[in-house]
Amino acid sequence: MFRTIFAKQFTLYLSVLLLSFSILGAVLSQVLRLYLIEQRVESLKGTASNVADELILFLEFGESEVQQIINQYESFQYLESSAIVLDSDMAIFVSSESLELELDMVFDHIEFQRLRDGVPDVIMDGLPDIFPERHLIVGYPIRDRDSDELMAFALLISPVEHLENTIWGMYRNIVICLFIAALIGFILNYFISRTMSKPLRSMSQVAKQISGGDFEKRVVAKGRDEVGQLARSLNNMAESLNKQERDRREFIGNISHDLRTPLTSIRGFIKAIKDGAAPANKISRYLGIVLDETERLTKLADDIVDISQIQARESSLRKTVFDLNQLVRETARLFETRIIKKQLKIRLSFADGQNMVNADSEKIQRVIYNLLDNAIKFTHEDGAIVVETLVKEGRVWVTVSDNGIGISPEDQKQIFDRFYKADPSRGLDKMGNGLGLSIVKEFVRMHGSTIKLVSAVGKGSAFTFDLEAVRHLSPPKK
Ligand code: ADP
């Protein structure tokens, strides 16, 4: 029943309309009824008092005189009422002819008690047997002017049917207004909900297409309201899904390429050795190349594991307190052979004997490893590499610098992107896959820091990041 926005909106509108009109009708009719009856009572009371005043003079002249006054009164008709004059025993003395009452009637009913006691009174719907329609009776006592003795009573009987008619008329007008308001509401709601649901319908269609893998689809996002915002969010989501999909394809493409190259060369050399095609004096060199290529594959596998963890956001930090200097020393030692082979000078310069930090040691080792790996790769023979720590404002700052080939300002903007290699043709980096710095950047970011780079082409590069320092720690027992 409430499946569409229109149905929901219109039902709500109609309920509010019905409720407010019912309350309005009930209150208005009550107020109007009271007001009309009060007015009628007031004018009847005034007339009754006048008639009573007049009757005092004519009572003693007998019935016909009194009847004349009553007829005269009735002929005015502006109050649409009839009159009865009762004698002091509450029996009919004279009555309007239009009432057609039997003359021997006595008004000794309980509702006339107050009047019998001499108090002017208003009786609503009294004597239903005689006056079946709704009416008002205003009774007024007539007293002798000298002795103040009760001589007679004047009763004015006025039907209130027309008052009810006025109220019913008001009800009718309210119902007509209700219908008009409902009709206008129906038309307005129809158009408003159509303008609201149209973009929603198109969004749901686009969302279906996106979930089906068509990330190029976009919604027309107009307006600043919630629907417009939703449309823009949906477009942003589609954009980011599209980018993720592009990245994923590019990633797989790059990886396949990086896997195929070493595998082809391993296969070629092994085949040559197996078939006996390789000269005996070159076998050792060939095996050396095969070993390099397997190292390259191992590094690629490690990088892929890191990247996929970062992508899946599974990679959480396992922080411990450790000596960063020790970690730097151990990591540098892994490069000993390469450093000696390239005749590089390496200097480790630490702020203190121990620099304790609170960090994920495995990830920080990967960061330092990748930075040192690059520094060694991109520094010519006889070059120098420095790893330096510095303590400032509760953080330990680590800088890995070299006096190698340096990085141009344009490349500096991109080297932290996945698979980006500044200039593969330079030949210094045959092993690289362009993933190292993107892993460095992400691992450093996870530690609440950013990696900074200062570099000049031909002069060298310096990469810096910082970690939370831990102070006042007693040195470990030896
Ligand atoms: P890779 O894993 O192939 O080394 P990286 O992401 O670590 O990839 O590095 C990306 C590129 O940044 C490298 O190909 C290189 O061009 C440049 N680069 C990184 N470190 C240095 C450095 N110390 N000196 C000069 N160029 C560097």
Side-chain angles (χ1 to χ4, degrees), residues 60-74:
E60 52 202 49
F61 294 123
E63 263 175 59
S64 61
E65 292 290 336
V66 173
Q67 184 73 53
Q68 230 176 324
I69 291 174
I70 296 298
N71 290 349
Q72 214 178 359
Y73 158 76
E74 206 178 10

Side-chain angles (χ1 to χ4, degrees), residues 312-373:
R313 297 183 203 287
E314 276 169 6
S315 188
S316 55
L317 289 183
R318 252 167 276 143
K319 281 190 176 181
T320 50
V321 174
F322 62 92
D323 178 15
L324 183 69
N325 302 350
Q326 185 61 27
L327 188 85
V328 171
R329 262 185 236 112
E330 281 166 14
T331 316
R333 209 165 288 144
L334 298 174
F335 293 98
E336 222 171 310
T337 330
R338 277 170 68 191
I339 291 171
I340 293 168
K341 206 170 154 195
K342 247 186 148 179
Q343 294 166 8
L344 298 170
K345 282 180 250 348
I346 182 156
R347 185 163 63 88
L348 309 182
S349 159
F350 300 126
D352 303 300
Q354 272 189 338
N355 282 121
M356 303 305 287
V357 289
N358 183 21
D360 184 325
S361 64
E362 251 179 59
K363 290 197 171 61
I364 295 305
Q365 179 157 39
R366 286 284 284 153
V367 169
I368 296 169
Y369 184 95
N370 285 358
L371 292 177
L372 271 175
D373 184 38

Side-chain angles (χ1 to χ4, degrees), residues 40-165:
R40 170 53 53 101
V41 166
E42 282 312 306
S43 63
L44 282 174
K45 270 185 182 168
T47 313
S49 130
N50 289 341
V51 170
D53 279 351
E54 221 172 316
L55 283 175
I56 296 171
L57 305 171
F58 290 92
L59 273 176
E60 52 202 49
F61 294 123
E63 263 175 59
S64 61
E65 292 290 336
V66 173
Q67 184 73 53
Q68 230 176 324
I69 291 174
I70 296 298
N71 290 349
Q72 214 178 359
Y73 158 76
E74 206 178 10
S75 67
F76 284 129
Q77 275 301 325
Y78 70 98
L79 283 171
E80 298 167 7
S81 54
S82 320
I84 304 172
V85 178
L86 305 175
D87 62 17
S88 55
D89 296 324
M90 304 290 281
I92 294 183
F93 180 52
V94 168
S95 90
S96 287
E97 280 154 10
S98 59
L99 291 175
E100 296 170 3
L101 293 176
E102 286 167 29
L103 282 175
D104 56 352
M105 254 188 79
V106 181
F107 284 67
D108 53 0
H109 308 79
I110 185 84
E111 51 259 62
F112 295 101
Q113 187 57 51
R114 268 165 61 87
L115 185 63
R116 205 185 349 239
D117 294 342
V119 184
D121 201 9
V122 180
I123 299 140
M124 186 83 193
D125 296 334
L127 306 179
D129 302 340
I130 309 166
F131 309 113
E133 288 171 354
R134 301 212 61 193
H135 61 282
L136 267 172
I137 302 175
V138 172
Y140 208 88
I142 304 169
R143 291 178 188 273
D144 187 281
R145 281 193 175 154
D146 301 324
S147 63
D148 204 33
E149 197 182 315
L150 278 169
M151 293 164 67
F153 303 93
L155 295 185
L156 296 185
I157 297 118
S158 174
V160 287
E161 202 61 37
H162 64 283
L163 299 188
E164 291 299 317
N165 289 346

